[in-house]
Amino acid sequence: MHTMRIQGVDKPVSRLILGTGDLRSLDDNERAMLRAYAEAGGATFDTAHQYRGREKLLGQWLAEENLREKVAILTKGAHHDDGSPGPRVNPAAIRQDLTESLERLGTDHVELYALHRDDPAVEVGPIIEELHAHAEAGRIGAFGASNWTHERIQEANDYAAAHGLTGFAFSSTNLSLAKPQAPRWPGVVSADEATIAWHAANGMPLLSWSAQAGGFFSGHFTPEDTSNEEMVRVYYNEGNWERYNRAVRLAAEKGVTPIQLALSYVLHQPFATCAIIGPRKPEELYSSIEAMRLKLTPAEVEWLDLKREAIAE
């Protein structure tokens, strides 16, 4: 398993992070999936306070397998619709959610903590001060922003630098070969060209959710099939179908599948990236591992992204 480092975390972070949003129980199939990831060298798990019982299930499994000290946990808090409607990006909500997440996970700290949403109406100062205090207390290794724009992250880190505080160490937005034309869910952020340029300039790692664009490159969707309303709303446009056609062509040349190529694209950005994946069976995990090992040139990445007409010029 390929890994990378995030400032503030004393463990390597797997470039393929196992998401637990679909973890419903600890039955034989779920345990097999978790075990397959760990046996493949995976050591970073994504969860959230808003995922209801998933944190508790993950913590239980890690304790049973005696793996807690060997892995990194990313959890998230301050989601708008978690417990009460409306924005919850404030020190009190952060404090409550983190305390409850640690209790559910059965641990006294998490390596990675992210704010699940943003509220631009809230000043960054109190947010940074709250997160910094938890990092100083050892409850958080590194903290970051999930679904914050790069402008807001920069504003927060400017505040941190000006006041001698710890700032955001990573971002977790959507980054995928298929470009969303509308938010998949309320309040989410996808990395556009300006965001990618910002990350390339400052080197901040990006942990991508929905890195495979909801299966857009799986071959299960066509321009004529409009039965999946969410996919049509988010991804169906001329540019994405051209990206799909190019992925099909390049995948055939490399002997892989288009969806593997799409995942590899996310891992071949000009800055550090991870992909949060949600395989439902070990075979899907192994496919993602093969994609992680696939090599793409910068010219191939640009061609897939419609930034050049030919791979070799």
Side-chain angles (χ1 to χ4, degrees):
M1 182 70 66
H2 297 173
T3 62
M4 66 180 220
R5 291 283 181 174
I6 293 179
Q7 186 174 0
V9 181
D10 60 2
K11 300 172 183 176
V13 175
S14 306
R15 297 201 67 198
L16 295 179
I17 299 173
L18 188 66
T20 62
D22 292 329
L23 188 64
R24 296 290 189 272
S25 66
L26 286 177
D27 61 21
D28 290 345
N29 290 334
E30 301 283 11
R31 290 177 184 276
M33 185 66 258
L34 293 166
R35 191 171 296 114
Y37 175 74
E39 290 175 351
T44 308
F45 295 84
D46 166 77
T47 188
H49 185 275
Q50 199 260 345
Y51 293 169
R52 309 306 180 216
R54 277 62 157 187
E55 286 177 313
K56 187 172 182 180
L57 290 172
L58 175 61
Q60 178 184 336
W61 182 80
L62 290 173
E64 290 175 358
E65 299 291 326
N66 196 30
L67 288 175
R68 174 64 190 99
E69 297 307 313
K70 300 176 183 179
V71 307
I73 296 175
L74 162 62
T75 196
K76 303 177 289 292
H79 193 285
H80 294 343
D81 301 320
D82 193 355
S84 61
R88 298 180 62 254
V89 186
N90 57 68
I94 293 169
R95 196 176 311 123
Q96 175 184 333
D97 288 3
L98 175 59
T99 300
E100 292 177 357
S101 287
L102 294 177
E103 182 179 351
R104 294 171 183 176
L105 288 162
T107 187
D108 60 0
H109 72 285
V110 288
E111 286 73 18
L112 299 158
Y113 191 75
L115 301 181
H116 212 159
R117 290 290 190 273
D118 187 19
D119 180 4
V122 177
E123 294 183 3
V124 296
I127 297 172
I128 287 294
E129 290 169 4
E130 180 71 20
L131 291 168
H132 173 86
H134 291 296
E136 287 289 288
R139 290 183 283 272
I140 298 172
F143 57 84
S146 179
N147 298 302
W148 280 45
T149 65
H150 70 275
E151 292 93 346
R152 279 277 285 177
I153 295 174
Q154 186 64 64
E155 181 185 356
N157 280 3
D158 288 345
Y159 179 93
H163 293 82
L165 304 174
T166 305
F168 289 126
F170 65 93
S171 173
S172 182
T173 64
N174 168 246
L175 170 63
S176 60
L177 179 55
K179 310 306 176 189
Q181 60 195 358
R184 193 166 176 189
W185 300 290
V188 301
V189 173
S190 293
D192 56 15
E193 289 190 17
T195 301
I196 290 173
W198 181 83
H199 277 274
N202 63 36
M204 178 179 285
L206 190 155
L207 317 183
S208 174
W209 54 262
S210 199
Q212 293 169 301
F216 182 80
F217 296 90
S218 66
H220 296 152
F221 305 100
T222 66
E224 297 76 27
D225 180 4
T226 59
S227 59
N228 189 313
E229 294 182 2
E230 180 180 82
M231 293 298 290
V232 172
R233 178 179 62 83
V234 178
Y235 294 114
Y236 275 40
N237 62 49
E238 183 177 345
N240 282 336
W241 288 120
E242 176 61 19
R243 292 182 179 93
Y244 173 80
N245 291 333
R246 292 189 181 197
V248 170
R249 173 180 160 185
L250 188 57
E253 294 177 6
K254 292 181 175 291
V256 296
T257 64
I259 199 166
Q260 287 177 309
L261 202 67
L263 181 57
S264 183
Y265 163 87
V266 172
L267 300 175
H268 279 86
Q269 296 299 307
F271 52 89
T273 57
C274 294
I276 300 171
I277 59 173
R280 291 179 171 82
K281 51 187 177 181
E283 291 77 11
E284 294 177 356
L285 168 67
Y286 303 143
S287 174
S288 294
I289 292 174
E290 290 176 5
M292 176 189 66
R293 294 170 178 164
L294 178 64
K295 300 296 184 182
L296 293 180
T297 67
E300 289 170 334
V301 171
E302 290 184 356
W303 182 75
L304 287 167
D305 218 2
L306 311 186
K307 294 180 180 178
R308 60 169 64 203
E309 291 303 315
I311 296 177
E313 297 181 349

